[in-house]
Amino acid sequence: MQNQSQQSVPVSVSDSHADSSRTEMLRAEICSSSELSFLMEAHDGLSAAIAESAGFKGLRASGLSIASSLGYRDANEASWSQLVDVVERIVDSTTLPVLVDGDGGFGNFNNARLLACKLRQRGAAGIALEDSCFPKTNSLIGERHPLVDIDEFSGCLRAVKDTVGQDLVLVARIESLIAGHGMDDAISRAHSYADAGADAILIHSRKSTADEIFSFVHAWQNRLPVVIVPTKYYQTPASAYRKSQVSTVIWANHAMRAAIAAMRRVCHRIFTEETTASIEPNIATLDEVFELLRYDELARAEARYLRLS
Ligand code: SPV
Ligand code: MG
């Protein structure tokens, strides 16, 4: 865990602007490291701080989790400006690089490049854009997953690259296997997106084994680094990804799902028992809350700046 007391800027007012050092950290994780990297889902400042204190080196601002925490469905019900606001809280709450789930870009190339600009302003380190039509449906539910035409989506990636250059890591996410278009379509999209300037390819699958992921990786031959989201094929061990030279694993929704399970349990018990006595040992202490949110820094600042007569 990093030494938070050495940070000079309080979390709640840290400066939000393009942060090239975080971009380079993310680029190192996804594009240059020979080690398997892991990005942990965050959907607000608190989940971001918890992921950092657990030891993760990078975060993924995840669309499903952010939507869920706002009470929306992962179907572009939350607007791009709501996403940007949540990302700002995530960025300000940690020192980690944040790869933002930009869905399909909230429209065409013009909406996507505007989103990328705004994310850069708020301190994001990267954006993942997927070739699903607007409004999207979460990849893990339903059967209808229309894809954007390959040339149109390549143009969208080019527009984003031309706009933000190296300031954001650009991850192109391919939904061919989700949509049932097959491996050849996935591979030809990957080449087209690489030609358009993507820094990495995210290949998504909803199968319960990683077989089609490994088929993709084998056919792709690492022309660009490969990012995966093993939500459904969670039984596959990390060693298998290391062996097949996957670059990065995203744990996409697990903090949000953990929060749902824990909050449900606690609400149920408080409601039925009409006391919090029995659940106290099972929830975070207030001291943990104060430590995570760095109340110590505020106390030091008060001692320094608050001159009470
Ligand atoms: C998300 O969590 O928002 C993702 C991954 O993009 S998935 O839900 O599998 O589409
Ligand atoms: Mg998503």
Side-chain angles (χ1 to χ4, degrees):
M1 176 177 172
Q2 80 156 76
N3 184 353
Q4 293 183 328
S5 63
Q6 284 175 357
Q7 293 176 320
S8 57
V9 185
V11 277
S12 54
V13 292
S14 67
D15 194 12
S16 290
H17 56 263
D19 186 336
S20 59
S21 63
R22 292 206 219 201
T23 303
E24 289 322 308
M25 284 159 73
L26 186 67
R27 199 181 300 286
E29 288 295 320
I30 296 180
C31 302
S32 32
S33 163
S34 54
E35 303 282 304
L36 181 64
S37 299
F38 297 91
L39 300 181
M40 182 63 194
E41 170 256 310
H43 50 272
D44 57 16
L46 184 59
S47 53
I50 290 171
E52 180 166 25
S53 67
F56 283 98
K57 299 283 182 292
L59 300 174
R60 145 85 162 193
S62 178
L64 173 63
S65 298
I66 290 171
S68 304
S69 72
L70 293 173
Y72 286 122
R73 290 164 292 205
D74 187 19
N76 288 133
E77 290 184 344
S79 68
W80 68 263
S81 59
Q82 287 176 305
L83 170 66
V84 163
D85 286 342
V86 172
V87 168
E88 181 180 86
R89 294 307 318 134
I90 292 172
V91 167
D92 284 357
S93 302
T94 75
T95 61
L96 297 180
V98 182
L99 173 65
V100 178
D101 179 358
D103 290 336
F106 291 78
N108 69 3
F109 78 92
N110 188 41
N111 306 93
R113 68 182 179 174
L114 176 62
L115 173 65
C117 270
K118 290 295 167 190
L119 290 172
R120 172 174 61 180
Q121 282 174 5
R122 305 293 182 97
I127 182 172
L129 290 168
E130 68 198 44
D131 49 14
S132 60
C133 291
F134 182 90
K136 61 147 321 151
T137 308
N138 181 271
S139 309
L140 307 180
I141 189 169
E143 299 307 323
R144 215 184 134 266
H145 295 281
L147 299 191
V148 178
D149 171 79
I150 181 167
D151 291 332
E152 185 182 344
F153 191 69
S154 301
C156 175
L157 294 171
R158 265 202 322 279
V160 169
K161 197 71 188 176
D162 287 347
T163 307
V164 297
Q166 298 301 306
D167 294 346
L168 292 179
V169 176
L170 177 58
V171 178
R173 166 165 157 184
I174 295 168
E175 292 286 278
S176 303
L177 306 178
I178 299 291
H181 290 212
M183 196 58 71
D184 290 349
D185 185 66
I187 291 291
S188 71
R189 282 176 179 268
H191 282 294
S192 180
Y193 301 165
D195 293 342
D199 297 302
I201 296 294
L202 191 162
I203 183 72
H204 204 13
S205 166
R206 56 193 279 180
K207 293 268 162 58
S208 59
T209 70
D211 295 353
E212 62 183 10
I213 293 292
F214 293 133
S215 304
F216 177 89
V217 170
H218 183 70
W220 177 238
Q221 295 278 309
N222 256 332
R223 182 179 164 197
L224 286 179
V226 173
V227 180
I228 62 170
V229 186
T231 300
K232 286 285 185 181
Y233 47 97
Y234 54 83
Q235 304 277 13
T236 309
S239 55
Y241 304 135
R242 286 195 176 90
K243 207 164 142 208
S244 73
Q245 293 191 313
V246 165
S247 154
T248 302
V249 169
I250 292 175
W251 306 122
N253 48 47
H254 303 82
M256 176 272 290
R257 287 164 62 197
I260 290 176
M263 287 192 281
R264 266 193 205 283
R265 266 197 309 273
V266 162
C267 285
H268 177 73
R269 281 186 58 184
I270 295 176
F271 181 77
T272 53
E273 296 172 14
E274 298 184 341
T275 170
T276 61
S278 70
I279 51 117
E280 269 296 332
N282 305 118
I283 58 178
T285 63
L286 286 175
D287 281 346
E288 278 179 85
V289 177
F290 299 149
E291 193 200 318
L292 265 172
L293 278 299
R294 301 183 44 233
Y295 281 63
D296 58 332
E297 189 282 334
L298 178 58
R300 281 197 305 280
E302 282 174 350
R304 186 161 177 190
Y305 302 118
L306 199 59
R307 296 278 184 258
L308 295 176
S309 54

Short mmCIF file of all heavy atoms in Angstrom, two decimals, residues 41 60-67 74 101-103 128 130 136-141 173 175 178 202 204-206 229-232 250-254 256, ligand 1:
data_model
loop_
_atom_site.label_atom_id
_atom_site.label_comp_id
_atom_site.label_asym_id
_atom_site.label_seq_id
_atom_site.Cartn_x
_atom_site.Cartn_y
_atom_site.Cartn_z
N GLU A 41 -11.89 -2.94 -11.05
CA GLU A 41 -13.06 -2.08 -11.23
C GLU A 41 -13.21 -1.07 -10.09
O GLU A 41 -13.04 -1.39 -8.93
CB GLU A 41 -14.30 -2.96 -11.26
CG GLU A 41 -15.62 -2.22 -11.21
CD GLU A 41 -16.31 -2.28 -9.86
OE1 GLU A 41 -16.48 -3.38 -9.30
OE2 GLU A 41 -16.72 -1.21 -9.37
N ARG A 60 -10.12 0.31 -13.49
CA ARG A 60 -10.99 0.35 -14.65
C ARG A 60 -12.29 0.99 -14.17
O ARG A 60 -12.98 0.44 -13.30
CB ARG A 60 -11.20 -1.07 -15.13
CG ARG A 60 -12.55 -1.37 -15.69
CD ARG A 60 -12.67 -1.02 -17.11
NE ARG A 60 -13.85 -1.73 -17.68
CZ ARG A 60 -14.08 -1.81 -18.94
NH1 ARG A 60 -13.28 -1.26 -19.80
NH2 ARG A 60 -15.15 -2.46 -19.38
N ALA A 61 -12.61 2.16 -14.69
CA ALA A 61 -13.90 2.79 -14.39
C ALA A 61 -14.93 2.06 -15.23
O ALA A 61 -15.02 2.26 -16.44
CB ALA A 61 -13.87 4.28 -14.72
N SER A 62 -15.68 1.18 -14.58
CA SER A 62 -16.48 0.19 -15.30
C SER A 62 -17.92 0.66 -15.51
O SER A 62 -18.58 1.11 -14.58
CB SER A 62 -16.45 -1.09 -14.48
OG SER A 62 -17.21 -2.07 -15.08
N GLY A 63 -18.38 0.54 -16.75
CA GLY A 63 -19.71 1.05 -17.10
C GLY A 63 -20.84 0.39 -16.33
O GLY A 63 -21.73 1.07 -15.80
N LEU A 64 -20.78 -0.94 -16.24
CA LEU A 64 -21.84 -1.66 -15.53
C LEU A 64 -21.88 -1.23 -14.06
O LEU A 64 -22.94 -0.99 -13.49
CB LEU A 64 -21.60 -3.17 -15.64
CG LEU A 64 -22.53 -4.05 -14.80
CD1 LEU A 64 -23.99 -3.90 -15.24
CD2 LEU A 64 -22.11 -5.51 -14.88
N SER A 65 -20.72 -1.15 -13.45
CA SER A 65 -20.67 -0.82 -12.03
C SER A 65 -21.07 0.63 -11.76
O SER A 65 -21.78 0.92 -10.80
CB SER A 65 -19.27 -1.09 -11.47
OG SER A 65 -18.97 -2.45 -11.60
N ILE A 66 -20.61 1.53 -12.61
CA ILE A 66 -20.98 2.94 -12.43
C ILE A 66 -22.49 3.10 -12.62
O ILE A 66 -23.17 3.73 -11.82
CB ILE A 66 -20.19 3.84 -13.39
CG1 ILE A 66 -18.71 3.87 -12.98
CG2 ILE A 66 -20.76 5.25 -13.42
CD1 ILE A 66 -17.78 4.55 -13.96
N ALA A 67 -23.00 2.50 -13.69
CA ALA A 67 -24.46 2.58 -13.91
C ALA A 67 -25.21 2.02 -12.71
O ALA A 67 -26.13 2.66 -12.18
CB ALA A 67 -24.83 1.82 -15.18
N ASP A 74 -27.06 -0.73 -17.45
CA ASP A 74 -25.90 -0.57 -18.33
C ASP A 74 -26.39 -0.60 -19.77
O ASP A 74 -26.14 -1.54 -20.53
CB ASP A 74 -24.89 -1.70 -18.05
CG ASP A 74 -23.58 -1.50 -18.80
OD1 ASP A 74 -23.31 -0.36 -19.23
OD2 ASP A 74 -22.84 -2.49 -18.96
N ASP A 101 -14.22 2.95 -19.17
CA ASP A 101 -15.12 2.24 -20.07
C ASP A 101 -15.99 3.29 -20.77
O ASP A 101 -16.93 3.83 -20.17
CB ASP A 101 -15.98 1.29 -19.22
CG ASP A 101 -16.98 0.51 -20.04
OD1 ASP A 101 -17.07 0.72 -21.26
OD2 ASP A 101 -17.68 -0.33 -19.43
N GLY A 102 -15.66 3.58 -22.03
CA GLY A 102 -16.39 4.61 -22.76
C GLY A 102 -17.54 4.05 -23.57
O GLY A 102 -18.10 4.75 -24.43
N ASP A 103 -17.90 2.78 -23.31
CA ASP A 103 -18.95 2.11 -24.10
C ASP A 103 -18.67 2.32 -25.59
O ASP A 103 -17.55 2.26 -26.02
CB ASP A 103 -20.35 2.62 -23.70
CG ASP A 103 -20.74 2.14 -22.30
OD1 ASP A 103 -20.21 1.12 -21.85
OD2 ASP A 103 -21.57 2.81 -21.66
N ALA A 128 -11.51 2.92 -23.18
CA ALA A 128 -11.83 1.73 -23.97
C ALA A 128 -13.14 2.01 -24.69
O ALA A 128 -14.13 2.38 -24.07
CB ALA A 128 -11.97 0.51 -23.06
N GLU A 130 -15.97 0.42 -27.47
CA GLU A 130 -16.41 -0.86 -28.02
C GLU A 130 -17.26 -0.63 -29.26
O GLU A 130 -17.89 0.43 -29.42
CB GLU A 130 -17.22 -1.62 -26.96
CG GLU A 130 -18.55 -0.98 -26.62
CD GLU A 130 -19.13 -1.49 -25.30
OE1 GLU A 130 -18.38 -1.60 -24.31
OE2 GLU A 130 -20.36 -1.74 -25.25
N LYS A 136 -26.18 0.97 -26.19
CA LYS A 136 -25.67 -0.39 -26.01
C LYS A 136 -26.55 -1.18 -25.05
O LYS A 136 -27.40 -0.61 -24.35
CB LYS A 136 -24.26 -0.33 -25.45
CG LYS A 136 -24.22 0.34 -24.11
CD LYS A 136 -23.21 -0.14 -23.12
CE LYS A 136 -22.93 -1.57 -23.01
NZ LYS A 136 -21.55 -1.78 -22.56
N THR A 137 -26.34 -2.48 -25.05
CA THR A 137 -26.89 -3.35 -24.00
C THR A 137 -25.71 -4.06 -23.39
O THR A 137 -24.81 -4.46 -24.12
CB THR A 137 -27.83 -4.41 -24.61
OG1 THR A 137 -28.78 -3.76 -25.43
CG2 THR A 137 -28.54 -5.20 -23.53
N ASN A 138 -25.70 -4.22 -22.09
CA ASN A 138 -24.59 -4.93 -21.46
C ASN A 138 -24.33 -6.25 -22.18
O ASN A 138 -25.27 -7.00 -22.50
CB ASN A 138 -24.86 -5.16 -19.96
CG ASN A 138 -23.70 -5.86 -19.29
OD1 ASN A 138 -23.63 -7.09 -19.25
ND2 ASN A 138 -22.77 -5.09 -18.79
N SER A 139 -23.07 -6.55 -22.40
CA SER A 139 -22.68 -7.72 -23.21
C SER A 139 -23.11 -9.04 -22.60
O SER A 139 -23.17 -10.06 -23.30
CB SER A 139 -21.17 -7.75 -23.38
OG SER A 139 -20.69 -6.52 -23.83
N LEU A 140 -23.36 -9.06 -21.31
CA LEU A 140 -23.62 -10.32 -20.62
C LEU A 140 -25.11 -10.57 -20.42
O LEU A 140 -25.50 -11.51 -19.72
CB LEU A 140 -22.87 -10.35 -19.28
CG LEU A 140 -21.37 -10.05 -19.38
CD1 LEU A 140 -20.70 -10.07 -18.02
CD2 LEU A 140 -20.69 -11.01 -20.35
N ILE A 141 -25.96 -9.76 -21.05
CA ILE A 141 -27.40 -9.97 -20.94
C ILE A 141 -28.04 -9.83 -22.32
O ILE A 141 -27.59 -9.02 -23.14
CB ILE A 141 -28.04 -8.97 -19.93
CG1 ILE A 141 -29.49 -9.32 -19.66
CG2 ILE A 141 -27.92 -7.53 -20.40
CD1 ILE A 141 -30.11 -8.57 -18.49
N ARG A 173 -12.33 -2.23 -28.18
CA ARG A 173 -12.98 -3.46 -27.70
C ARG A 173 -13.85 -4.06 -28.79
O ARG A 173 -14.69 -3.37 -29.38
CB ARG A 173 -13.83 -3.12 -26.47
CG ARG A 173 -14.81 -4.20 -26.07
CD ARG A 173 -15.31 -3.95 -24.68
NE ARG A 173 -16.58 -4.58 -24.43
CZ ARG A 173 -17.26 -4.46 -23.30
NH1 ARG A 173 -16.78 -3.69 -22.32
NH2 ARG A 173 -18.42 -5.05 -23.13
N GLU A 175 -16.65 -6.74 -30.03
CA GLU A 175 -17.82 -7.46 -29.51
C GLU A 175 -18.28 -8.56 -30.47
O GLU A 175 -19.38 -9.10 -30.31
CB GLU A 175 -18.95 -6.46 -29.26
CG GLU A 175 -18.69 -5.49 -28.11
CD GLU A 175 -18.82 -6.16 -26.74
OE1 GLU A 175 -19.95 -6.32 -26.24
OE2 GLU A 175 -17.76 -6.54 -26.18
N ILE A 178 -19.41 -11.71 -28.75
CA ILE A 178 -20.65 -11.47 -28.00
C ILE A 178 -21.84 -11.47 -28.96
O ILE A 178 -22.90 -12.03 -28.68
CB ILE A 178 -20.57 -10.10 -27.27
CG1 ILE A 178 -19.42 -10.07 -26.27
CG2 ILE A 178 -21.91 -9.74 -26.63
CD1 ILE A 178 -19.56 -10.94 -25.06
N LEU A 202 -9.23 -5.14 -26.77
CA LEU A 202 -9.97 -5.88 -25.74
C LEU A 202 -10.91 -6.84 -26.46
O LEU A 202 -11.76 -6.41 -27.24
CB LEU A 202 -10.76 -4.91 -24.84
CG LEU A 202 -11.37 -5.48 -23.54
CD1 LEU A 202 -11.72 -4.33 -22.58
CD2 LEU A 202 -12.57 -6.36 -23.75
N HIS A 204 -13.84 -9.54 -25.96
CA HIS A 204 -14.79 -9.92 -24.92
C HIS A 204 -15.49 -11.23 -25.29
O HIS A 204 -15.71 -11.51 -26.47
CB HIS A 204 -15.83 -8.81 -24.73
CG HIS A 204 -16.48 -8.83 -23.38
ND1 HIS A 204 -16.00 -9.56 -22.32
CD2 HIS A 204 -17.57 -8.18 -22.90
CE1 HIS A 204 -16.77 -9.38 -21.26
NE2 HIS A 204 -17.73 -8.54 -21.58
N SER A 205 -15.80 -12.01 -24.26
CA SER A 205 -16.49 -13.28 -24.45
C SER A 205 -17.46 -13.48 -23.30
O SER A 205 -17.19 -13.06 -22.19
CB SER A 205 -15.46 -14.42 -24.47
OG SER A 205 -16.10 -15.68 -24.34
N ARG A 206 -18.57 -14.14 -23.59
CA ARG A 206 -19.51 -14.46 -22.50
C ARG A 206 -19.61 -15.96 -22.26
O ARG A 206 -20.51 -16.44 -21.59
CB ARG A 206 -20.89 -13.84 -22.77
CG ARG A 206 -21.51 -14.24 -24.07
CD ARG A 206 -22.69 -13.36 -24.41
NE ARG A 206 -23.90 -13.75 -23.71
CZ ARG A 206 -25.07 -13.13 -23.84
NH1 ARG A 206 -25.17 -12.04 -24.61
NH2 ARG A 206 -26.13 -13.54 -23.20
N VAL A 229 -11.69 -9.68 -20.12
CA VAL A 229 -12.61 -9.42 -19.00
C VAL A 229 -13.23 -10.76 -18.59
O VAL A 229 -14.31 -11.13 -19.05
CB VAL A 229 -13.72 -8.43 -19.43
CG1 VAL A 229 -14.60 -8.04 -18.24
CG2 VAL A 229 -13.13 -7.18 -20.06
N PRO A 230 -12.55 -11.50 -17.70
CA PRO A 230 -13.02 -12.86 -17.40
C PRO A 230 -14.14 -12.91 -16.36
O PRO A 230 -14.02 -13.56 -15.34
CB PRO A 230 -11.75 -13.56 -16.90
CG PRO A 230 -10.87 -12.47 -16.41
CD PRO A 230 -11.27 -11.20 -17.06
N THR A 231 -15.23 -12.26 -16.67
CA THR A 231 -16.37 -12.27 -15.74
C THR A 231 -17.08 -13.61 -15.77
O THR A 231 -17.40 -14.19 -14.74
CB THR A 231 -17.35 -11.14 -16.09
OG1 THR A 231 -16.66 -9.90 -16.01
CG2 THR A 231 -18.54 -11.11 -15.14
N LYS A 232 -17.30 -14.14 -16.97
CA LYS A 232 -18.05 -15.39 -17.12
C LYS A 232 -17.13 -16.61 -17.04
O LYS A 232 -17.52 -17.66 -16.57
CB LYS A 232 -18.79 -15.40 -18.46
CG LYS A 232 -20.00 -14.48 -18.48
CD LYS A 232 -21.14 -15.09 -17.69
CE LYS A 232 -22.40 -14.26 -17.78
NZ LYS A 232 -23.50 -14.82 -17.00
N ILE A 250 -9.06 -7.49 -16.68
CA ILE A 250 -9.92 -6.53 -15.99
C ILE A 250 -10.90 -7.29 -15.11
O ILE A 250 -11.66 -8.14 -15.61
CB ILE A 250 -10.70 -5.66 -17.01
CG1 ILE A 250 -9.74 -4.73 -17.76
CG2 ILE A 250 -11.80 -4.86 -16.32
CD1 ILE A 250 -10.41 -3.93 -18.87
N TRP A 251 -10.88 -6.99 -13.81
CA TRP A 251 -11.92 -7.50 -12.90
C TRP A 251 -13.03 -6.45 -12.94
O TRP A 251 -12.93 -5.41 -12.28
CB TRP A 251 -11.38 -7.69 -11.50
CG TRP A 251 -10.13 -8.55 -11.41
CD1 TRP A 251 -8.93 -8.17 -10.90
CD2 TRP A 251 -9.97 -9.92 -11.82
NE1 TRP A 251 -8.03 -9.21 -10.98
CE2 TRP A 251 -8.64 -10.30 -11.54
CE3 TRP A 251 -10.82 -10.86 -12.41
CZ2 TRP A 251 -8.14 -11.58 -11.82
CZ3 TRP A 251 -10.31 -12.14 -12.69
CH2 TRP A 251 -9.00 -12.48 -12.38
N ALA A 252 -14.08 -6.71 -13.72
CA ALA A 252 -14.92 -5.61 -14.20
C ALA A 252 -16.02 -5.16 -13.24
O ALA A 252 -16.48 -4.02 -13.35
CB ALA A 252 -15.56 -6.00 -15.53
N ASN A 253 -16.44 -6.02 -12.34
CA ASN A 253 -17.66 -5.64 -11.60
C ASN A 253 -17.68 -6.16 -10.17
O ASN A 253 -18.73 -6.13 -9.53
CB ASN A 253 -18.89 -6.17 -12.35
CG ASN A 253 -18.72 -7.63 -12.73
OD1 ASN A 253 -18.32 -8.45 -11.91
ND2 ASN A 253 -19.01 -7.96 -13.98
N HIS A 254 -16.55 -6.62 -9.68
CA HIS A 254 -16.58 -7.41 -8.45
C HIS A 254 -16.72 -6.57 -7.18
O HIS A 254 -17.33 -7.03 -6.21
CB HIS A 254 -15.37 -8.34 -8.42
CG HIS A 254 -15.35 -9.23 -9.64
ND1 HIS A 254 -14.87 -8.82 -10.85
CD2 HIS A 254 -15.87 -10.47 -9.82
CE1 HIS A 254 -15.06 -9.78 -11.75
NE2 HIS A 254 -15.66 -10.79 -11.15
N MET A 256 -18.50 -3.81 -7.03
CA MET A 256 -19.93 -3.46 -7.04
C MET A 256 -20.77 -4.64 -6.57
O MET A 256 -21.69 -4.50 -5.75
CB MET A 256 -20.32 -2.99 -8.44
CG MET A 256 -21.77 -2.67 -8.67
SD MET A 256 -22.78 -4.10 -9.17
CE MET A 256 -22.18 -4.44 -10.84
C1 SPV B 1 -18.54 -3.37 -17.80
O1 SPV B 1 -18.40 -3.92 -16.70
O2 SPV B 1 -19.13 -2.31 -17.94
C2 SPV B 1 -17.96 -3.99 -18.97
C3 SPV B 1 -17.71 -5.41 -18.98
O3 SPV B 1 -17.77 -3.31 -19.96
S1 SPV B 1 -19.18 -6.20 -19.32
O4 SPV B 1 -20.14 -5.92 -18.26
O5 SPV B 1 -18.85 -7.60 -19.37
O6 SPV B 1 -19.67 -5.71 -20.60
#
